[in-house]
Amino acid sequence: METTGIKPAPVKRPFKVGLGGEERSLKEYVNIDGLLQKKAIIIHPFVVNDLGTNEKGKPIEILFGIMDMEAWFVDLDFRRKKI
């Protein structure tokens, strides 16, 4: 994903979520206005330090939530491993 000008903003009330078998506190979010496979997209993800690595050992840089995927009609093609 290509993005520019990302600056975290604090949430009014931090909250905890379970992610990757751990409890994490979400305190900041960002507004991302960028491109996903050459298509414009705007999302508002929460900042989470160190999401870990994928099955190939590469760092996970961003994690889409189902609400953003539904809002932007993002479909997953598991067979071809594509968005």
Side-chain angles (χ1 to χ4, degrees):
M1 176 179 280
E2 300 171 28
T3 58
T4 58
I6 299 174
K7 294 182 181 181
V11 297
K12 289 184 181 182
R13 293 186 184 159
F15 58 96
K16 296 184 186 227
V17 297
L19 183 61
E22 298 178 26
E23 187 176 86
R24 311 246 185 157
S25 181
L26 300 182
K27 300 175 183 177
E28 296 178 306
Y29 71 98
V30 293
N31 293 313
I32 296 179
D33 181 351
L35 299 173
L36 178 63
Q37 296 182 346
K38 299 180 183 178
K39 295 181 182 173
I41 188 169
I42 300 170
I43 60 173
H44 312 288
F46 292 96
V47 175
V48 179
N49 294 326
D50 189 22
L51 287 171
T53 57
N54 66 15
E55 62 277 357
K56 294 181 180 178
K58 292 184 178 181
I60 299 171
E61 296 177 5
I62 189 167
L63 183 64
F64 272 84
I66 191 67
M67 299 297 278
D68 285 320
M69 291 176 67
E70 286 181 351
W72 291 97
F73 303 103
V74 175
D75 290 321
L76 300 177
D77 184 341
F78 292 104
R79 194 171 56 98
R80 292 189 278 174
K81 296 184 178 180
K82 291 192 169 212
I83 295 177

